[in-house]
Amino acid sequence: MKLLILGATGPTGRHVVDLALQSGDTVTVLARRPEALHELAGRVTVMAGDATSPDDVAKAMTGQDVVISALGRSTSVRADDLFTRAAAAVIGAAKQADVSRLVWLSSFGVGDTYRSASVAQKAMYRTFLRNIYANKEISEKAIRSSGLDWTLVYPTMLTKDPAKGTYRVGDRLPMKGNPTISRADVADFLHKAAHSPEWIHRDAVISD
Ligand SMILES: NC(=O)c1ccc[n+]([C@@H]2O[C@H](COP(=O)([O-])OP(=O)(O)OC[C@H]3O[C@@H](n4cnc5c(N)ncnc54)[C@H](OP(=O)(O)O)[C@@H]3O)[C@@H](O)[C@H]2O)c1
């Protein structure tokens, strides 16, 4: 499968690239800092560019089967419109290039998933994650109404732990306290979802 991976220089995106290469996918990454790909650079097609630029995304989109986004704002608490701008660029380019499948990494607590959050989680989502979550919510409305075969993925708090290979995933999950999941396991789900129709037009909440 030909995969375009956004956010490949981030910790979750890097795991997705590893899994895709292990399983024989042909990988293109769109990265604004290609040098941060290090040893992966020689094993993927690297398009230098910005995920919020319609032109850069359109160039990377040509000939792809699936787009996986692991875009994020790292440690910043300001969205800087990243998600709305990237979603608009991706939707436009995907339609233009006739690429229908999009697997998009969000965060548990965004949009309707907030309702099933625990008290501890809601406290974080309402305070320091508020700006990021508001921008993610708008971007996801655009994705849901895009006509693409989207899957929106909602992980709980991410860790750097190694993959366990077992995790909970469902359209809704009961939450207690502040559960976590490793980025490696989230990447496993993103990669599997890209290869299966099972999660098309569905929200996937994922947690240990
Ligand atoms: N931290 C948590 O506990 C948690 C919980 C649930 C969900 N999430 C979500 O999971 C996602 C991934 O998080 P993460 O910590 O693995 O990654 P991250 O550190 O947020 O990395 C983000 C990636 O996005 C790229 N990026 C950002 N802006 C870009 C732009 N304009 N053009 C191109 N690339 C751009 C970064 O590239 P550069 O290398 O150039 O910066 C990097 O590759 C995020 O959306 C985050 O909100 C996080």
Side-chain angles (χ1 to χ4, degrees), residues 122-179:
K122 280 181 176 165
M124 277 190 316
Y125 304 154
R126 268 200 236 105
T127 53
F128 72 97
L129 289 173
R130 189 187 180 115
N131 182 271
I132 299 258
Y133 274 37
N135 190 251
K136 284 193 178 214
E137 184 169 1
I138 299 168
S139 71
E140 289 160 31
K141 282 189 179 143
I143 291 169
R144 286 172 198 283
S145 61
S146 64
L148 299 178
D149 291 336
W150 51 265
T151 300
L152 290 165
V153 182
Y154 295 94
T156 54
M157 186 179 279
L158 301 181
T159 72
K160 293 180 180 162
D161 294 343
K164 279 192 191 167
T166 55
Y167 44 81
R168 298 185 295 153
V169 54
D171 302 80
R172 302 248 180 292
L173 288 182
M175 291 290 162
K176 211 171 145 191
N178 196 6

Side-chain angles (χ1 to χ4, degrees), residues 51-203:
T52 63
S53 156
D55 286 349
D56 292 351
V57 177
K59 280 183 199 135
M61 189 69 72
T62 309
Q64 306 298 338
D65 297 315
V66 180
V67 184
I68 300 178
S69 169
L71 289 170
R73 291 284 296 151
S74 190
T75 54
S76 173
V77 293
R78 303 288 310 169
D80 200 18
D81 293 337
L82 169 65
F83 305 101
T84 44
R85 293 166 69 206
V90 167
I91 293 166
K95 288 186 167 176
Q96 196 80 34
D98 218 10
V99 176
S100 59
R101 187 78 177 100
L102 172 63
V103 179
W104 185 270
L105 178 56
S106 178
S107 304
F108 179 72
V110 172
D112 280 353
T113 65
Y114 180 83
R115 280 188 283 168
S116 48
S118 70
V119 174
Q121 289 172 316
K122 280 181 176 165
M124 277 190 316
Y125 304 154
R126 268 200 236 105
T127 53
F128 72 97
L129 289 173
R130 189 187 180 115
N131 182 271
I132 299 258
Y133 274 37
N135 190 251
K136 284 193 178 214
E137 184 169 1
I138 299 168
S139 71
E140 289 160 31
K141 282 189 179 143
I143 291 169
R144 286 172 198 283
S145 61
S146 64
L148 299 178
D149 291 336
W150 51 265
T151 300
L152 290 165
V153 182
Y154 295 94
T156 54
M157 186 179 279
L158 301 181
T159 72
K160 293 180 180 162
D161 294 343
K164 279 192 191 167
T166 55
Y167 44 81
R168 298 185 295 153
V169 54
D171 302 80
R172 302 248 180 292
L173 288 182
M175 291 290 162
K176 211 171 145 191
N178 196 6
T180 59
I181 181 164
S182 70
R183 288 177 170 87
D185 281 328
V186 172
D188 177 70
F189 180 78
L190 294 170
H191 182 249
K192 284 191 173 132
H195 286 76
S196 155
E198 187 185 348
W199 286 92
I200 288 176
H201 296 153
R202 287 174 70 188
D203 296 349

